Amino acid sequence: DIFQEIAMSRNSRVLALCLVAASALTACNKPREEGSAKDTAPSIPVELTAAQKQALVAELPAPYSGGDVEHGKTVFMMCKTCHTLVEGGANMTGPNLWGIFGRKAGMAKDFAYSDGLKAAGFTWDTAHMDTRIENPRAMMAGTKMSFVGLKDAKDRIDVIAYLKSEASPAK
């Protein structure tokens, strides 16, 4: 019947497309030239366990060590429009925040910082993050960060705890 022929014809086309796609992917798997930049596979981010995340947050000084990570995750949603948190993640309007704790200000790889932040000279810790998140423009003149800030201290504490749990390597 005509409907069976149409169905078989469609299945044949789908099978042909799958074979073409498979052969194209196989062609991409050619041996790499020795010494090329492609010799190193990109690292795949490893999801930390709840216990590892909790241990990271516990390293923070009080009151940040008692921050509510789940609430911080909710508050951080507004930050995700400009920042990524994963290792090797892309810079967006703002820099990727992976490894922010202990990093010198203005030093994220491949990000065009404002002159003020490049010259700041401090290392990111909870106090500097809190000040920056509270009022970015008051902390540093000429900042590119257009965010108005988080006035609520609990929101800042929780966001910083969340950042520590999500943007730090396991110990």
Side-chain angles (χ1 to χ4, degrees), residues 25-36 38-39:
L25 288 173
T26 302
C28 292
N29 198 19
K30 293 179 184 173
R32 296 184 182 126
E33 292 178 29
E34 247 183 81
S36 74
K38 295 180 182 179
D39 270 347

Side-chain angles (χ1 to χ4, degrees), residues 35-85:
S36 74
K38 295 180 182 179
D39 270 347
T40 56
S43 64
I44 298 171
V46 175
E47 180 70 23
L48 301 182
T49 66
Q52 288 172 312
K53 290 178 181 185
Q54 188 177 25
L56 287 167
V57 173
E59 292 176 357
L60 295 172
Y64 307 97
S65 58
D68 180 345
V69 173
E70 285 304 311
H71 179 248
K73 179 178 182 178
T74 301
V75 176
F76 188 81
M77 293 300 286
M78 68 180 92
C79 308
K80 288 181 84 165
T81 60
C82 296
H83 296 282
T84 57
L85 297 177

Side-chain angles (χ1 to χ4, degrees), residues 32-151:
R32 296 184 182 126
E33 292 178 29
E34 247 183 81
S36 74
K38 295 180 182 179
D39 270 347
T40 56
S43 64
I44 298 171
V46 175
E47 180 70 23
L48 301 182
T49 66
Q52 288 172 312
K53 290 178 181 185
Q54 188 177 25
L56 287 167
V57 173
E59 292 176 357
L60 295 172
Y64 307 97
S65 58
D68 180 345
V69 173
E70 285 304 311
H71 179 248
K73 179 178 182 178
T74 301
V75 176
F76 188 81
M77 293 300 286
M78 68 180 92
C79 308
K80 288 181 84 165
T81 60
C82 296
H83 296 282
T84 57
L85 297 177
V86 296
E87 183 176 11
N91 290 318
M92 296 170 57
T93 303
N96 175 301
L97 298 177
W98 174 261
I100 187 72
F101 289 88
R103 182 168 71 207
K104 285 195 62 93
M107 294 295 163
K109 184 179 177 189
D110 299 326
F111 187 76
Y113 286 97
S114 61
D115 290 338
L117 201 50
K118 286 190 283 190
F122 63 82
T123 299
W124 287 110
D125 58 15
T126 54
H128 285 101
M129 282 185 211
D130 196 307
T131 301
R132 177 77 166 167
I133 295 169
E134 180 179 18
N135 190 343
R137 295 188 184 280
M139 179 188 190
M140 189 162 299
T143 184
K144 294 179 182 179
M145 191 167 169
S146 60
F147 182 62
V148 296
L150 291 176
K151 303 307 175 213

